[in-house]
Amino acid sequence: MRRHAAAVVLALAATSLATRADAGAAAGPFGRNFLGDWARTSKFATTRGSVLVIDALLAKERVAVFRRDKPFVDVSLAAEFRIERVGKAHQAFGLVFGSTDSQTYYAFEIGREEMRVVRVEPGKEPVALVARGIRDPAGRWSTARLKLEGSLFRGYFGRQVLEFRSIPGLQAGWVGAYAHNGRVSVRDLRFGGKPSRLSKAWRIVAAEPDEK
């Protein structure tokens, strides 16, 4: 009986560890070896204590950070973020997935008026695949998360859900986050998924965005 009980305890412990591993690990606090863990497209992505601050107020493009880790498929991502009430009209925070270089990726983007899934490619305007209106999140801490199962996407902002059944051309890639037209603070970014491989080495495609 005791042997059986011990076996059950060990089995439950192994299941618990496996579940935690599948769920992913916290990427923060960002202050620890930030430049070693993350690739960034601008020097205006930096840390203040354990909080990542992405400042795209003066940038012509999205200012992004990408986790220097294994590329993933079936990605899960979540983060707490705060968009400051400054800057241009279309301010946004994005959770990046499927990144094959610094200018090629998909994102779950939370703006001032809507949440959407966008496809970003070099030299092209980002394409919105699906969108839904939301309450303006600026000025307060909010949580966004996403889950991918194959090409099926589900994004969550508060109690609202955004679903897209078949993301075209989705590949294994790095994960990350960005700010667009504004300044965003990010904390407690968590990620996970099935480790995979890229067809070619990940790289920064363009130099730092032009700043005024």
Side-chain angles (χ1 to χ4, degrees):
M1 185 68 178
R2 290 181 178 178
R3 290 181 180 179
H4 176 71
V8 170
V9 170
L10 287 173
L12 289 173
T15 301
S16 176
L17 288 172
T19 301
R20 276 181 279 174
D22 291 342
F30 289 96
R32 297 178 183 174
N33 195 31
F34 172 62
L35 294 180
D37 291 337
W38 298 84
R40 58 180 182 169
T41 61
S42 170
K43 64 184 179 182
F44 294 113
T46 186
T47 56
R48 295 177 185 171
S50 61
V51 175
L52 170 66
V53 179
I54 311 176
D55 191 342
L57 282 172
L58 301 179
K60 293 182 179 179
E61 302 177 18
R62 287 162 170 77
V63 174
V65 297
F66 303 88
R67 178 73 179 187
R68 300 181 191 272
D69 214 308
K70 294 179 180 179
F72 292 102
V73 295
D74 292 347
V75 174
S76 61
L77 265 172
E80 295 180 23
F81 69 97
R82 183 179 63 200
I83 301 173
E84 293 191 18
R85 292 185 180 276
V86 293
K88 305 170 188 177
H90 181 70
Q91 303 161 335
F93 164 71
L95 285 174
V96 173
F97 58 95
S99 171
T100 53
D101 60 52
S102 66
Q103 294 293 324
T104 307
Y105 53 84
Y106 293 86
F108 178 37
E109 185 175 279
I110 309 294
R112 299 284 299 271
E113 298 179 348
E114 65 178 11
M115 58 179 176
R116 60 183 189 166
V117 178
V118 296
R119 182 175 183 172
V120 178
E121 295 180 282
K124 299 180 181 180
E125 286 294 318
V127 175
L129 302 178
V130 63
R132 179 178 177 179
I134 60 171
R135 179 186 172 190
D136 185 0
R140 67 179 189 275
W141 285 100
S142 302
T143 300
R145 61 188 179 93
L146 66 85
K147 177 67 177 177
L148 284 160
E149 296 177 6
S151 61
L152 172 63
F153 169 92
R154 289 190 179 93
Y156 304 87
F157 176 66
R159 296 182 178 180
Q160 293 180 286
V161 181
L162 186 65
E163 184 173 298
F164 194 71
R165 292 192 175 277
S166 184
I167 295 182
L170 180 62
Q171 302 179 46
W174 285 13
V175 299
Y178 68 68
H180 181 49
N181 284 341
R183 185 183 299 122
V184 179
S185 298
V186 186
R187 65 187 184 191
D188 195 27
L189 191 155
R190 307 184 72 84
F191 64 93
K194 295 179 182 178
S196 187
R197 293 184 179 181
L198 294 174
S199 57
K200 58 182 180 180
W202 193 97
R203 65 193 180 96
I204 297 287
V205 169
E208 184 175 296
D210 294 330
E211 286 104 15
K212 296 179 182 178

